[in-house]
Amino acid sequence: MLTSTSVRRTTTLLSQIPGKTRVLSRNLNIHEYQSKELMDKYGVTTQKWRLVESVDQTESQALSLKAKELVVKAQIHAGGRGLGSFKENGFKGGVKLCKTPQEAKELVGKMLGNHLVTKQTGPEGAKVGKIMLAESIDLHKELYFAILMDRASQGPVMVASPKGGVDIEKVAEETPDQIFKEVIDIKTGPTPSQTKNLAEKLGFSGKDVAIAQDQMSRLYELFLKSDATQVEINPFALTPEGKLYCVDAKINFDDNAAFRQKEIFGYRDTTQEDSREVAAAKHELNYIGMDGDIGCMVNGAGLAMATMDIIKLHQGTPANFLDVGGGANEKQVTEAFKILDGDKNVKAILVNIFGGIMKCDIIAKGILAACQQVSLRVPLVVRLAGTNVEIGKKLLQDSKLNIITADDLDDAAKKAG
């Protein structure tokens, strides 16, 4: 299962829009307060907010907002915070309203440092290390607006719905006629007629149409200049006074743009990520954690996908996608074993390597060296194919280590299961 909640939301929504293709990828995920910081930079209208990282900061930060009512929001990379509960103390709700700085301080004390469990975090929850305080605003009308990078359209798509403030996937499923979209030419950007059409579909009229258009254009500028893959505003909301706010935002970015978006990628909060994926990234290993019990180490993305398919065919469940690449060295293999063996759900490890650029005897020596450094607690099944495969297999068999060799991929999947 991919760990990025926003990616799942994006691809689910796109799959329910006619003509859209479901494509999964992993991208940088940032906190809500960081999204607001970015929107402020591009002139998008947000309510006033402050960041709190300790209980003692709370009262002074709350006072500086000069708000009649405050909203206290736990910052984690998951949705459903308002309905969540804290693992350590049972406190209900990661989003709370209050009137005074003293009340805000009390709420922060119940949230900060604890794990918030929501429908998207799993039972372990996500640790709250930061709290956002914001002025509470009355919402007269809640709308939905998003800009998504869509492969099928070969560029951005603007998506809007008058039914905001709720689960947009449910809206797309139950009332698809309430989802409106405009495919954007990435070379020219959205035209005034496109933003006007969406604004009117959202129910804006008169001078409010131009206000909505302006916010859409500013959000598109953020999307383009930040190398975003998604900018989702829910709700895109009107107050009783007719002021338009971008109240809650989820923004994701293209990992390939990290070299030119250093400030944005500095937002990364590894405490909110799968620790296995963080460790793998440090050693340039392509790893995605899943929920099975057979750890996989493979060279090549295609071979990794095939390996997972064969495991499933033989009634097993893969614990991960791990591609060590064609030029993996001994240190990378060692770190890969540490990650796989450290997963408490893994009951066996399957190594499936094709020796093309690197010969099988060299690969076998690397596996043996890694095994001598890592005391594996689970069985290790190795399938080698390619140049010098017999030499490689003999090295493994003669090692006297607890390594099970396999003749082919079917044999390996059966032995690992």
Side-chain angles (χ1 to χ4, degrees):
M1 180 182 293
L2 295 178
T3 58
S4 169
T5 301
S6 295
V7 170
R8 290 196 295 272
R9 290 171 59 82
T10 302
T11 53
T12 299
L13 179 58
L14 281 175
S15 70
Q16 293 166 334
I17 299 173
K20 295 292 161 278
T21 303
R22 183 182 176 90
V23 180
L24 297 178
S25 61
R26 283 169 48 219
N27 301 290
L28 173 70
N29 198 7
I30 66 175
H31 287 294
E32 180 187 2
Y33 79 89
Q34 294 166 328
S35 297
K36 287 193 183 297
E37 189 171 81
L38 267 179
M39 289 191 292
D40 291 343
K41 178 181 175 181
Y42 285 91
V44 177
T45 304
T46 66
Q47 71 262 58
K48 294 181 293 183
W49 62 275
R50 297 289 186 270
L51 183 66
V52 169
E53 297 183 76
S54 72
V55 176
D56 291 340
Q57 294 177 329
T58 307
E59 288 190 71
S60 61
Q61 292 288 60
L63 281 168
S64 71
L65 287 172
K66 298 178 181 178
K68 293 180 180 178
E69 188 174 48
L70 297 163
V71 57
V72 180
K73 305 184 81 171
Q75 298 296 286
I76 62 170
H77 287 173
R81 290 172 293 172
L83 297 175
S85 62
F86 288 87
K87 193 173 181 179
E88 289 83 358
N89 56 21
F91 182 64
K92 303 291 185 185
V95 178
K96 292 288 186 180
L97 291 171
C98 64
K99 298 286 188 181
T100 68
Q102 292 75 25
E103 286 180 87
K105 183 178 181 179
E106 184 180 344
L107 290 169
V108 168
K110 293 177 180 178
M111 297 181 186
L112 203 59
N114 295 321
H115 290 76
L116 179 57
V117 180
T118 78
K119 63 181 180 180
Q120 293 181 355
T121 63
E124 69 283 357
K127 188 173 183 178
V128 178
K130 296 178 174 68
I131 306 281
M132 186 183 76
L133 306 179
E135 64 171 338
S136 177
I137 55 175
D138 292 329
L139 304 182
H140 172 64
K141 193 173 184 181
E142 297 185 50
L143 312 167
Y144 175 91
F145 179 76
I147 307 169
L148 314 169
M149 188 62 77
D150 177 41
R151 183 175 294 179
S153 301
Q154 298 184 9
V157 175
M158 283 184 169
V159 181
S161 174
K163 293 192 173 183
V166 295
D167 189 344
I168 194 63
E169 289 92 336
K170 190 174 181 181
V171 175
E173 182 181 348
E174 296 179 356
T175 53
D177 60 311
Q178 294 297 298
I179 300 286
F180 305 99
K181 65 184 178 69
E182 288 283 353
V183 177
I184 307 302
D185 184 336
I186 199 166
K187 294 179 181 177
T188 60
T191 64
S193 63
Q194 287 180 306
T195 54
K196 183 173 184 288
N197 177 52
L198 289 177
E200 291 174 343
K201 294 289 188 185
L202 289 175
F204 291 97
S205 60
K207 60 178 176 36
D208 291 338
V209 171
I211 294 171
Q213 284 184 274
D214 175 66
Q215 291 296 291
M216 290 178 187
S217 296
R218 290 177 184 275
L219 287 165
Y220 182 79
E221 184 183 12
L222 184 161
F223 174 86
L224 193 67
K225 291 185 178 179
S226 300
D227 287 301
T229 55
Q230 168 187 274
V231 174
E232 182 187 51
I233 310 299
N234 191 19
F236 190 53
L238 274 170
T239 66
E241 298 77 31
K243 192 167 183 178
L244 180 61
Y245 283 92
C246 293
V247 177
D248 197 356
K250 291 183 175 67
I251 308 178
N252 289 74
F253 305 88
D254 185 351
D255 285 342
N256 295 313
F259 73 97
R260 66 182 176 206
Q261 298 289 352
K262 297 188 187 302
E263 182 180 352
I264 288 174
F265 278 77
Y267 283 156
R268 185 182 180 190
D269 183 354
T270 56
T271 67
Q272 297 291 310
E273 299 177 24
D274 187 322
S275 60
R276 301 168 299 177
E277 294 184 17
V278 174
K282 287 180 181 177
H283 300 282
E284 298 182 349
L285 299 169
N286 298 311
Y287 179 98
I288 299 176
M290 301 171 75
D291 54 6
D293 55 14
I294 298 176
C296 306
M297 182 166 68
V298 188
N299 66 334
L303 190 59
M305 297 297 288
T307 301
M308 291 192 292
D309 285 343
I310 294 295
I311 288 172
K312 290 289 287 185
L313 180 66
H314 292 287
Q315 312 308 311
T317 51
N320 63 275
F321 169 103
L322 197 163
D323 171 18
V324 297
N329 56 41
E330 181 183 319
K331 181 171 176 57
Q332 286 176 302
V333 173
T334 300
E335 294 302 326
F337 276 137
K338 287 180 181 178
I339 293 167
L340 297 178
D341 195 57
D343 185 341
K344 65 180 186 295
N345 294 321
V346 169
K347 68 176 186 181
I349 295 173
L350 193 163
V351 176
N352 183 22
I353 301 289
F354 178 77
I357 298 173
M358 190 179 291
K359 298 175 183 178
C360 287
D361 55 326
I362 303 299
I363 293 167
K365 289 176 182 176
I367 291 172
L368 292 174
C371 285
Q372 288 169 353
Q373 294 185 53
V374 182
S375 298
L376 296 178
R377 62 177 178 80
V378 297
L380 173 62
V381 180
V382 179
R383 180 257 183 170
L384 299 176
T387 308
N388 290 352
V389 63
E390 294 305 325
I391 299 174
K393 288 172 70 173
K394 190 172 189 309
L395 284 168
L396 296 176
Q397 290 165 352
D398 293 347
S399 69
K400 294 187 169 44
L401 294 174
N402 185 24
I403 298 175
I404 304 166
T405 59
D407 295 324
D408 55 41
L409 190 47
D410 279 304
D411 183 38
K414 289 174 184 176
K415 288 177 175 176

